[in-house]
Amino acid sequence: MTIKVDKDVPTPTYIRVGRPSRYPWSEMGVGDSFFVPVSEDRDLHSLRQAVNGSRHSYCKKNARNGGQYLATVRTVTEGGVEGVRAWRLK
């Protein structure tokens, strides 16, 4: 059996298939923020951990690709509703 060598065949672009982010990090500009209220299935502490973990992953991924993305997460009460607000800083 002979295998033919092909020349000048372009490498396909790498497409990472994964689950889309639950939070809108990629849509945010500097100074933008979003609020996530506490729900029945998640308490305030675990909600903050989830949003902060997502923030950390997104910032780290963005830095690996040469970008600068800085965000912060705070526990807040807005209109009597407890939740977490995230701001993009850079």
Side-chain angles (χ1 to χ4, degrees):
M1 179 171 132
T2 304
I3 298 176
K4 180 183 161 204
V5 175
D6 296 323
K7 300 203 183 271
D8 298 321
V9 175
T11 305
T13 57
Y14 176 74
I15 299 173
R16 182 175 180 200
V17 178
R19 148 181 111 204
S21 178
R22 180 177 293 178
Y23 307 107
W25 302 114
S26 62
E27 301 167 23
M28 294 174 69
V30 175
D32 291 350
S33 68
F34 64 86
F35 177 74
V36 182
V38 173
S39 61
E40 293 177 7
D41 61 330
R42 183 171 274 177
D43 65 5
L44 185 59
H45 179 73
S46 64
L47 175 64
R48 182 180 169 133
Q49 284 182 320
V51 174
N52 199 42
S54 175
R55 175 207 59 83
H56 178 76
S57 295
Y58 189 81
C59 289
K60 192 173 178 182
K61 178 182 82 168
N62 198 273
R64 271 196 312 263
N65 294 331
Q68 291 185 348
Y69 196 102
L70 182 63
T72 189
V73 175
R74 298 286 188 264
T75 302
V76 295
T77 302
E78 296 185 3
V81 178
E82 284 188 318
V84 173
R85 180 166 287 280
W87 289 266
R88 179 171 178 187
L89 304 175
K90 189 174 182 183

